[in-house]
Amino acid sequence: MAQQKSDPNYKIIAENRRARFDYFIESDLEVGIVLTGSEVKSLRTGQSNIAESYASVEQGELWLINGYIAAYKQAGVFGHEERRRRKLLVSRKELSRLWQAIGREGMTLVPLVMYFNDRGIVKLKIGVAKGKKNHDKRDTEAKRDWGREKQRLLKQG
């Protein structure tokens, strides 16, 4: 991960920080995404949001649903819909694994990070996740607060 950050082409576009609070992330997977030209131009300016979005397997294909990419004003009438469904690119083997995880195990596909990789191509990292209950969220928050307090006490001496 440190190597990617030193690369001048690597750039995080959007991050779903809430996903790690709401879900137990079992595994993650890097996938490609089918975009139009105006969407890529808009992403270069950093105007996107994946916080309310999710991924779904429909009709043998993987789709990103409710992902927001702002309209690119210079595109004029050749622009794009801001919240359209976008196809995600993944191998058949991985698609079948994801489909089984959703169907049999009751998992959810949550987008974690959208970024430009080292070659300047837009990639999306999706997580295979299981939803947390309210008591799990409270436990996570209590552990985080205790970690902060412990660091504060150690720093003071």
Side-chain angles (χ1 to χ4, degrees):
M1 193 77 172
Q3 179 191 12
Q4 289 179 340
K5 289 188 178 180
S6 66
D7 192 339
N9 292 330
Y10 181 82
K11 178 184 173 191
I12 293 178
I13 302 165
E15 189 171 6
N16 188 358
R17 297 176 61 138
R18 183 91 185 158
R20 298 206 186 272
F21 181 74
D22 289 336
Y23 299 97
F24 291 114
I25 308 297
E26 301 291 325
S27 64
D28 59 355
L29 176 69
E30 180 183 74
V31 298
I33 184 168
V34 177
L35 299 171
T36 63
S38 62
E39 289 173 329
V40 176
K41 291 276 193 179
S42 181
L43 288 175
R44 293 234 179 255
T45 62
Q47 301 172 351
S48 67
N49 186 4
I50 58 170
E52 305 95 27
S53 62
Y54 63 97
S56 176
V57 178
E58 297 174 4
Q59 301 166 355
E61 296 177 337
L62 188 61
W63 295 90
L64 176 67
I65 299 170
N66 203 26
Y68 174 79
I69 298 177
Y72 187 64
K73 291 184 171 67
Q74 287 82 357
V77 296
F78 303 106
H80 62 275
E81 273 186 58
E82 295 175 343
R83 290 203 181 267
R84 74 175 181 90
R85 294 169 26 137
R86 292 168 178 90
K87 186 175 179 181
L88 299 176
L89 305 172
V90 65
S91 69
R92 289 181 194 262
K93 184 178 177 181
E94 288 293 336
L95 183 66
S96 66
R97 186 180 68 82
L98 293 174
W99 184 73
Q100 287 178 352
I102 292 171
R104 294 184 184 159
E105 301 167 21
M107 301 293 226
T108 305
L109 298 178
V110 181
L112 301 173
V113 181
M114 184 184 289
Y115 59 94
F116 288 105
N117 69 357
D118 57 345
R119 294 180 14 204
I121 297 171
V122 179
K123 296 289 183 179
L124 184 71
K125 186 175 281 193
I126 59 172
V128 179
K130 190 169 197 124
K132 285 185 181 178
K133 306 283 187 214
N134 281 336
H135 60 85
D136 294 328
K137 292 179 187 180
R138 285 192 295 269
D139 290 343
T140 303
E141 193 169 346
K143 286 179 186 176
R144 187 177 61 227
D145 290 345
W146 170 241
R148 285 184 190 152
E149 187 64 29
K150 190 167 51 172
Q151 288 298 326
R152 205 173 290 132
L153 292 172
L154 288 173
K155 191 173 183 181
Q156 289 176 354

